[in-house]
Amino acid sequence: MEYQILNTSTCLLVLLVFIPTGLGICPSSCKCSGNDRNVDCSGRNLTILPQGLQDNLTYLNLSFNQFVDLDHQLTRFTNLRTLDISHNWLKNVPAHLPKSLWELYATNNNIKVLQKLDTAYQWNLRVLDVSRNMVERAVLINNTLSSLKFLNLSSNKLWTVPTNMPYNIETVDLSNNFLSQILPGTLVRLQHLTSLYLHNNKFSYIPDKAFDQLSQLQEITLYNNPWSCSDNQNIPYVLQWVQGTAARVVGAPCADLPWPWASAAPPAQPTALDSSPIIKGTKAAGREASAAAPEPTKVTKTHKQFKAKEASPLATQSPPALFPGTDRPLPRAPDGPQEAAATRTILVQDSTAGNASLAPATGPSTTPMTLSITSGMPTNYSKMPQSTTTTFRKEEATPSARVPSRASRWQTGLLCLALLHAAAVAMD
């Protein structure tokens, strides 16, 4: 009988010891659910872990407390999937976290460095959020975070985009940092990346080919960065990439500013000298017209031709000029813009014809010459003669058609006076 009582007492003792753990007793300062495996101890001003937490927890929320150090205190929760230690006073990610973690939230702490051992061998980790800390350097080991899909390092003090990010990552938030550079190869293997947030940083440009391997990218934010829009050497890459990517770009760089290197030089406007039918002989012959279609009010020049069989002082005459051998000035070019091609040929007497009476005539004093000038058609074309091409050729002079000049009449008079004087002397 006593033996039975002893056995019964022993069984009751065992039950009293192990039933609380098996049934799951929730700590008094926490809220529990799901057979006490989901524990919420947030906002309790805790500085140490509460008593009575089960080892088989799957969810533990310790946020909004006053924890300073949790190193080695969470290792025993080998079934833990989600851990929230946000809004505490932690100076580093707790050491020796259970390898069963899927999600780790450590926002708004005093973490300054994300060491490689903080996340090493977290094979199952899918979400890592260390935003709103003071992280200046983040060291990751890509081959030990093979399941990581979401990385949030926003609102820290990073200067360089972290290297060795896991290859299978899909979302990276690096906004609100001091990022100014992307080291070569940083984003090369992130072929599964779909969302990249880089707004509110210090980027002035993006290095060449930095985004070329992001084939699955669907969204990227680039606003609130001090882009060097006038840097013709470095800024063109990101501008051209933004134009060609299929991803949604929020805050395209230099969107409101013109591209200084892309603006073509304005076409040269014709000068007043170009619109005149008399051009200088030093101008290049055969200049082609501009390929762009001009406005109706602008000068259109299709061809200019200046051809003379003999060299003459006409080549550099400025309008209006009096030619030797004619008492008419050259007609001025009609005022107004020129719209079509026209050709004029003007009679020019040889420069020696004006002095023909001062020397004995040894032959024809005129030389055939053709002067052809092609320029724009005046706008008052309908008021001008229908034929705008006239050719004057110097013909051979004949005695019957020649009109004595004033110098020859004086010479004849002097000769007569000399003959009369000689006759008077002979009579005397």
Side-chain angles (χ1 to χ4, degrees), residues 24-44 46 50-54 57 59-62 65:
I25 297 176
C26 183
S28 60
S29 58
C30 304
K31 295 179 181 179
C32 303
S33 62
N35 296 327
D36 298 333
R37 300 183 67 184
N38 299 329
V39 181
D40 184 357
C41 302
S42 61
R44 305 294 179 177
L46 300 175
Q51 296 295 325
L53 291 174
Q54 301 183 69
L57 295 179
Y59 174 87
L60 179 59
N61 188 349
L62 299 177
N65 284 290

Side-chain angles (χ1 to χ4, degrees), residues 111-345:
I111 302 173
K112 294 184 178 180
V113 178
L114 187 61
Q115 300 286 357
K116 62 181 180 180
L117 293 179
D118 295 338
T119 58
Y121 309 108
Q122 292 292 340
W123 311 106
N124 299 305
L125 192 63
R126 302 176 182 177
V127 176
L128 177 59
D129 189 346
V130 197
S131 61
R132 298 183 181 181
N133 281 275
M134 295 183 292
V135 178
E136 299 178 355
R137 184 168 57 94
V139 182
L140 303 173
I141 304 178
N142 51 25
N143 56 359
T144 63
L145 291 170
S146 56
S147 299
L148 192 65
K149 303 294 183 182
F150 179 89
L151 175 63
N152 189 353
L153 292 173
S154 64
S155 300
N156 281 287
K157 296 183 178 181
L158 295 171
W159 289 87
T160 304
V161 175
T163 58
N164 289 329
M165 284 187 284
Y167 301 152
N168 294 324
I169 201 164
E170 297 177 356
T171 300
V172 176
D173 190 349
L174 299 173
S175 61
N176 296 290
N177 277 280
F178 298 93
L179 298 175
S180 60
Q181 60 180 342
I182 301 177
L183 298 179
T186 300
L187 306 175
V188 170
R189 298 186 179 181
L190 305 184
Q191 298 182 4
H192 299 281
L193 189 65
T194 59
S195 301
L196 178 61
Y197 303 101
L198 298 175
H199 56 275
N200 293 339
N201 277 288
K202 302 296 181 182
F203 287 111
S204 59
Y205 69 95
I206 299 296
D208 290 350
K209 300 182 179 181
F211 294 158
D212 286 359
Q213 301 300 322
L214 304 181
S215 57
Q216 301 298 322
L217 194 65
Q218 299 177 6
E219 182 179 20
I220 185 172
T221 59
L222 298 172
Y223 58 89
N224 288 350
N225 280 283
W227 302 109
S228 299
C229 298
S230 59
D231 186 354
N232 297 358
Q233 297 295 327
N234 297 313
I235 197 65
Y237 167 73
V238 67
L239 299 182
Q240 294 172 3
W241 182 87
V242 167
Q243 294 295 325
T245 183
R248 175 175 177 262
V249 180
V250 181
C254 310
D256 299 331
L257 299 176
W259 297 7
W261 60 91
S263 58
Q269 298 295 331
T271 61
L273 182 60
D274 293 334
S275 61
S276 173
I278 301 178
I279 61 175
K280 292 185 177 182
T282 56
K283 277 192 172 289
R287 181 177 301 171
E288 295 183 356
S290 175
E295 299 177 0
T297 58
K298 294 183 179 179
V299 175
T300 303
K301 296 212 177 264
T302 58
H303 183 66
K304 292 182 181 179
Q305 182 181 3
F306 187 93
K307 182 176 66 175
K309 293 184 179 179
E310 287 185 9
S312 68
L314 292 182
T316 56
Q317 288 288 347
S318 41
L322 216 65
F323 285 86
T326 178
D327 55 359
R328 284 194 317 236
L330 275 177
R332 286 184 179 273
D335 296 333
Q338 311 296 316
E339 296 180 354
T343 303
R344 295 168 181 261
T345 307

Side-chain angles (χ1 to χ4, degrees), residues 70-87:
L70 287 174
D71 289 348
H72 309 285
Q73 300 182 38
L74 303 172
T75 308
R76 64 187 178 96
F77 302 110
T78 56
N79 293 318
L80 194 60
R81 294 288 185 264
T82 302
L83 175 63
D84 191 347
I85 52 177
S86 302
H87 299 275

